[in-house]
Amino acid sequence: SLAAVYFLIYSTMQIPSGVLADTLGPRVTIFAGNLTAGIGSLLFAFAGSFAAASAGRFLVGLGVSVIFISSLKFSSLWFSERKFALVTGIILFVGNAGSIMAAGPFTVVLKSFSWRAVFIGIGAVSLVLSLIAFLSVRNRPEDFRFPSVREMEGRKTIAERNQHWFKDLASVVKVPAVWPGFFTNFGITGGTYAFMGLWGIPYLRDVYGLDRSSAAEYMTVMLATYAVGGLVFGWISDRMGRRKPALLASALLYTGAWLALIFLPWKPGPAIFILFGLIGFAGTGCILTFACAKEVIKPALSGMATSLVNTGTFLGTLLMQPLFGWVLDRTWDGTLVNNVRVYSMHSYYYGFMIMLAYAAIGIVGSLFIKETYCANITPDN
């Protein structure tokens, strides 16, 4: 329930985070997000009841929910369009490095410090980050009296928003070219997150008898390649000057890796480390959808466009996790170990068919992506 509180508010806040990034700007949003997350972490650390702990988790989820989209908005204003995909890959790499640190290294820290002390430290760091953001971050280069990136490239500056944010959001939702990225993330990133975050370890445990620690090593490899893949696909796309070929290649590679996992004979060992790593690596090619969304929308509304695309990720994850479990329960052969259900390869096979269906949705979405050639293609650009 504590985990659900975090993910529920995080998912719910994706569209609002885009609105905040476009209306208040990255500086205020990142400052407020870190401040809220820091307070939530401290509340969680000192919680004496389940209600207080839930409130702390709620505030942490609320605070961090705005950071990624605000970072993308910041990048769109401070970096050339031909570098946006690579910068997005760097942001994703740093975020996933934090996820890796929160696994094995976090376990080591807990051997020397209590979990309450650790969360006090995390809260303190978040509060410091909020202060740094307020003092040093500016929404755009012009706030430091620098020329804008567009001016340096010989183009006119971005037109400011001139109507209510709700009308702006409605105008973003009505743009057909934004939606393929939503469905690409729904199918590929949503499936990847569901497998890495929930069903990967039970699969290795139930079918191959691995203990949780050994199974977690495979997920760590997948997470690490997921982080690196964002850098690679972002760099390739920016160097090519095209979005669609790199995105489609990642979707096909991701689907091919799942087909190999399902239909080829294998057992835990080096080969499956490589295969799991390939799934993670290919799954992160979807970061290009953020660049695609930004480049088919007026620059002033890039936060709303990227948040709409990112919503597909979490909607896909939220639906896949229980759907996969429902398939396992429907095909369960009745095996129990210590009164806990254990599922066979037969059951996981049908769950993986759902993963393949998700991957197909991702491929179709990538096929309908509008090629922008790494430049904003709206009429006034």
Side-chain angles (χ1 to χ4, degrees):
S1 296
L2 284 174
V5 168
Y6 173 91
F7 285 108
L8 181 60
I9 186 59
Y10 193 104
S11 304
T12 304
M13 278 296 296
Q14 286 314 290
I15 295 296
S17 69
V19 174
L20 292 171
D22 284 338
T23 54
L24 300 180
R27 182 193 184 198
V28 171
T29 308
I30 291 175
F31 160 72
N34 275 295
L35 180 64
T36 303
I39 294 172
S41 183
L42 293 175
L43 177 59
F44 185 76
F46 291 106
S49 66
F50 181 79
S54 297
R57 289 290 289 172
F58 177 89
L59 289 177
V60 171
L62 178 64
V64 302
S65 67
V66 302
I67 301 300
F68 180 64
I69 296 300
S70 296
S71 298
L72 295 183
K73 178 68 176 183
F74 178 86
S75 300
S76 72
L77 297 171
W78 278 85
F79 293 92
S80 167
E81 292 174 341
R82 289 296 297 269
K83 294 184 174 65
F84 183 80
L86 177 59
V87 173
T88 302
I90 293 172
I91 294 171
L92 193 66
F93 176 83
V94 174
N96 281 289
S99 297
I100 295 172
M101 291 292 293
F106 184 73
T107 302
V108 174
V109 171
L110 286 176
K111 293 180 180 179
S112 301
F113 301 93
S114 71
W115 68 268
R116 291 184 185 273
V118 171
F119 277 97
I120 290 172
I122 293 172
V125 169
S126 296
L127 294 178
V128 171
L129 286 174
S130 69
L131 179 61
I132 293 174
F134 183 78
L135 295 176
S136 64
V137 172
R138 294 296 182 272
N139 290 335
R140 58 186 67 219
E142 297 94 313
D143 295 340
F144 275 130
R145 297 184 180 179
F146 297 147
S148 69
V149 173
R150 294 171 66 88
E151 288 178 311
M152 293 170 62
E153 295 174 341
R155 295 188 291 167
K156 61 182 180 181
T157 57
I158 296 173
E160 297 289 339
R161 295 174 50 257
N162 57 7
Q163 60 183 358
H164 192 275
W165 65 264
F166 187 81
K167 292 184 178 179
D168 284 331
L169 179 59
S171 70
V172 170
V173 172
K174 292 177 182 178
V175 175
V178 175
W179 286 97
F182 173 93
F183 288 105
T184 302
N185 272 300
F186 177 94
I188 294 179
T189 314
T192 303
Y193 281 7
F195 188 72
M196 286 195 302
L198 182 58
W199 291 114
I201 288 178
Y203 165 62
L204 293 170
R205 179 197 63 205
D206 291 350
V207 177
Y208 297 100
L210 298 184
D211 59 39
R212 185 174 185 83
S213 177
S214 298
E217 294 177 2
Y218 291 87
M219 296 302 102
T220 301
V221 168
M222 185 178 290
L223 186 60
T225 56
Y226 186 85
V228 174
L231 290 173
V232 174
F233 282 108
W235 178 80
I236 289 175
S237 176
D238 287 342
R239 291 283 292 180
M240 291 174 56
R242 300 184 67 183
R243 304 298 188 202
K244 190 170 183 176
L247 178 59
L248 183 57
S250 73
L252 292 173
L253 183 61
Y254 174 83
T255 305
W258 269 108
L259 287 169
L261 177 65
I262 297 170
F263 295 109
L264 294 182
W266 63 270
K267 60 182 179 180
I272 202 60
F273 270 117
I274 295 174
L275 186 55
F276 274 34
L278 186 60
I279 292 175
F281 177 82
T284 194
C286 290
I287 66 156
L288 299 177
T289 60
F290 298 113
C292 295
K294 178 187 75 72
E295 290 160 359
V296 298
I297 288 293
K298 293 180 180 180
L301 307 181
S302 63
M304 298 182 195
T306 53
S307 67
L308 176 59
V309 167
N310 202 35
T311 301
T313 295
F314 294 96
L315 180 61
T317 305
L318 287 172
L319 293 178
M320 171 59 82
Q321 288 183 339
L323 179 60
F324 197 105
W326 178 81
V327 170
L328 293 182
D329 283 338
R330 294 284 293 180
T331 57
W332 178 52
D333 61 10
T335 303
L336 292 171
V337 175
N338 297 324
N339 291 322
V340 176
R341 290 190 178 192
V342 174
Y343 302 100
S344 66
M345 184 62 228
H346 174 77
S347 295
Y348 280 100
Y349 171 83
Y350 288 103
F352 289 162
M353 289 298 104
I354 304 297
M355 286 285 187
L356 275 183
Y358 257 53
I361 294 173
I363 291 176
V364 173
S366 64
L367 285 172
F368 281 90
I369 286 287
K370 189 175 184 64
E371 180 60 71
T372 61
Y373 297 96
C374 302
N376 192 287
I377 60 174
T378 53
D380 57 348
N381 285 277

